Amino acid sequence: MKLIYINLKSNSISQKEITPESDFYLLGARGLSSKIINDEIEPQCDPLGSKNKLIIANGLLTGSPFPNSARTSVGAKSPLTNGIKEANAGGRSAMMLARHGIRGLIFEEVSDSLRLLIIDENQIKLEDAENYKGLGNYELHSRLKSKYGDGIGIYSIGPAGEFLMRSATVASNDLEGYPSRHAARGGLGAVMGSKKIKAIVILPPKQSQIPMYDLKKFRETSTPFAKALAQTKQTFSTFGTPMMMKGMSGYGGLPTKNFRMSSYDKIDDISGEALHEMVISRGGKKRLACSPTCVIKCSNLVVDENGEHITSSLEYETMCLNGSNLMINDLESLAWIDHYCDDVGIDTIEYGGTCGVAMDNGEIEWGDAEKVIDILNTEIRNNTEIGKKYGNGVKNIGQLLNAKRVPQVKGQEFLLMTPES
Ligand code: SF4
């Protein structure tokens, strides 16, 4: 396995083999990116400046058949927290990187024009990406697939990343081909935008498996673990993370009305069970894996009444931060909020928290899903003053509105549950 260094100032690409003597030999994913950030990045540097580095790292077992091991870890100094940040996503690309023999990509310095990084069997190169400028992730992925083939893996940023918004994500295409999996937290899409990398395109490698010392022995351990994991997660596989909605509301831990309340009287409208019914009745999909080797398969694919794709996957955090937290009790609206967050490349958690503060301060009516969608699709997409207000996180809007109630820690929106629970 090797690390690939991409210097965007000199346009040079180099690689280092990870040997048993290397500092990184037993490090992958968060451990690998955090060590590089800790050792190589000046602590006081501007997270959106040339001294920060963006690291896309695989886990130690990525590329093997070990269950749930093919996820992507993105790391950098965060423009939201100013600390060491890791954000994790599913998608197809981590496995493809591993099969190219790559454990990590390290972007250094900044480019002076928008670029693609292309990873092919024979070479890794930078290409001009000015003609993709401003595209949302859906259109971008569609164009990249037309040019490079349907089987490619993609990491990309939407307009929010290009505009250096501090809630911006790094998107990854899922196994169905949609740009639905996001390394969303901490504004790492803005770091990718500051480096002017619009997308990383990974062409399918020729080898379908990475060589292993003793695959038979490895499977003797991994197969029983995979079976146990799948068997013990049956309910979770059926309902996915949205199954937490009702439980958290009943237990008193559900973020509701900008965290003023911890349960929601309209929870039945937006529960995991209601989503399950809607997906099944419309011909959507359940029990999907979002990355290769996943045996739990907790993801869903939500379609409209005509069976057309809206989003995949609608998850608990998106539903509570944009649902109960904003008093929006309509699953279809939540699916569209998720869709537009994915398209412009904004963290659904940070965005739900931001809109919650705005509603609490009279900027938007409680429950106004149309406005929440319009801000994403019009204001953030076009980098308007309103877009900047809503695309830079909960702390930013709290300061702009002089708000008294801002749910954040170190500049980043809370996730999952109310603090008291
Ligand atoms: S489908 Fe669910 S369990 Fe499987 S990798 Fe994706 S998030 Fe994890």
Side-chain angles (χ1 to χ4, degrees):
M1 284 286 166
K2 58 198 175 223
L3 296 175
I4 307 294
Y5 291 82
I6 304 106
N7 187 306
L8 296 161
K9 188 175 176 190
S10 60
N11 287 322
S12 58
I13 297 173
S14 57
Q15 49 181 277
K16 265 188 205 158
E17 279 300 323
I18 302 175
T19 63
E21 292 72 40
S22 161
D23 282 352
F24 306 123
Y25 186 56
L26 289 176
L27 289 178
R30 179 191 292 249
L32 175 61
S33 63
S34 298
K35 178 159 178 60
I36 294 170
I37 297 165
N38 190 56
D39 292 355
E40 300 180 16
I41 296 177
E42 287 173 21
Q44 301 303 327
C45 78
D46 174 2
L48 301 179
S50 61
K51 300 293 178 209
N52 200 2
K53 298 188 184 191
L54 179 76
I55 299 131
I56 294 187
N58 273 350
L60 282 180
L61 293 175
T62 310
S64 79
F66 199 80
N68 293 55
S69 60
R71 294 178 60 88
T72 290
S73 178
V74 182
K77 178 177 175 179
S78 163
L80 263 189
T81 67
N82 279 311
I84 295 175
K85 189 70 205 167
E86 190 263 358
N88 196 281
R92 61 173 68 181
S93 299
M95 180 62 89
M96 294 174 74
L97 279 181
R99 288 179 177 165
H100 277 294
I102 296 171
R103 189 179 295 169
L105 302 170
I106 300 148
F107 293 89
E108 301 174 317
E109 300 287 346
V110 294
S111 170
D112 51 12
S113 63
L114 204 60
R115 299 299 185 98
L116 297 180
L117 182 77
I118 310 291
I119 299 174
D120 198 354
E121 196 74 45
N122 303 316
Q123 62 174 337
I124 300 174
K125 61 182 178 183
L126 290 161
E127 282 188 0
D128 179 70
E130 287 295 325
N131 54 334
Y132 300 112
K133 199 171 191 166
L135 290 184
N137 282 309
Y138 275 90
E139 176 66 16
L140 172 69
H141 283 222
S142 166
R143 288 204 204 172
L144 290 174
K145 283 191 283 185
S146 298
K147 181 165 181 192
Y148 296 99
D150 279 341
I152 57 174
I154 305 170
Y155 298 112
S156 65
I157 55 171
E162 285 185 57
F163 297 137
L164 311 186
M165 292 184 182
R166 282 170 283 156
S167 305
T169 65
V170 177
S172 171
N173 52 341
D174 63 23
L175 301 186
E176 279 69 43
Y178 297 107
S180 71
R181 312 309 304 196
H182 289 244
R185 307 247 59 208
L188 300 185
V191 179
M192 189 157 156
S194 72
K195 308 232 165 273
K196 290 197 162 53
I197 295 293
K198 181 67 176 169
I200 300 160
V201 176
I202 307 156
L203 280 86
K206 285 204 183 90
Q207 62 175 1
S208 61
Q209 274 194 332
I210 60 165
M212 295 188 68
Y213 178 71
D214 189 341
L215 182 59
K216 188 166 168 283
K217 199 87 186 152
F218 188 90
R219 283 194 192 279
E220 280 173 21
T221 302
S222 73
T223 304
F225 180 74
K227 280 187 182 155
L229 200 56
Q231 276 163 8
T232 53
K233 296 283 183 292
Q234 287 295 320
T235 309
F236 184 63
S237 302
T238 302
F239 293 101
T241 56
M243 72 185 269
M244 292 170 67
M245 289 291 287
K246 212 163 176 170
M248 290 300 283
S249 184
Y251 161 69
L254 187 76
T256 306
K257 207 172 187 184
N258 192 31
F259 289 78
R260 286 187 180 276
M261 303 188 300
S262 52
S263 61
Y264 188 35
D265 59 354
K266 294 183 176 151
I267 189 65
D268 286 338
D269 296 344
I270 56 168
S271 65
E273 292 79 355
L275 177 65
H276 181 76
E277 285 299 317
M278 187 177 103
V279 170
I280 297 296
S281 67
R282 290 179 171 187
K285 292 183 185 169
K286 298 285 303 205
R287 299 182 80 118
L288 292 174
C290 80
S291 57
T293 76
C294 172
V295 295
I296 298 174
K297 303 181 181 176
C298 76
S299 291
N300 58 56
L301 189 150
V302 185
V303 296
D304 66 14
E305 284 176 341
N306 300 317
E308 299 294 326
H309 176 269
I310 301 177
T311 197
S312 46
S313 169
L314 189 52
E315 303 285 359
Y316 165 74
E317 279 99 339
T318 305
M319 291 171 72
C320 67
L321 265 307
N322 295 277
S324 50
N325 193 49
L326 306 184
M327 311 299 274
I328 293 173
N329 62 322
D330 169 32
L331 284 173
E332 176 121 357
S333 295
L334 295 183
W336 281 110
I337 291 168
D338 193 45
H339 171 95
Y340 285 112
C341 279
D342 285 352
D343 194 37
V344 298
I346 281 279
D347 177 10
T348 57
I349 297 173
E350 200 67 39
Y351 186 64
T354 301
C355 290
V357 172
M359 288 179 177
D360 213 7
N361 287 273
E363 296 276 305
I364 314 173
E365 290 293 315
W366 288 110
D368 189 348
E370 215 173 296
K371 185 76 184 164
V372 170
I373 290 170
D374 183 61
I375 290 170
L376 285 166
N377 196 27
T378 307
E379 310 293 349
I380 290 179
R381 190 183 296 283
N382 295 302
N383 200 26
T384 64
E385 288 308 310
I386 294 174
K388 288 175 195 162
K389 187 162 143 187
Y390 284 84
N392 282 295
V394 69
K395 184 178 172 188
N396 171 65
I397 200 164
Q399 286 171 339
L400 291 174
L401 299 177
N402 199 21
K404 298 285 178 285
R405 191 176 183 81
V406 183
Q408 56 95 18
V409 176
K410 295 187 178 175
Q412 186 176 247
E413 162 66 37
F414 297 160
L415 74 166
L416 205 62
M417 61 183 76
T418 54
E420 67 273 21
S421 59

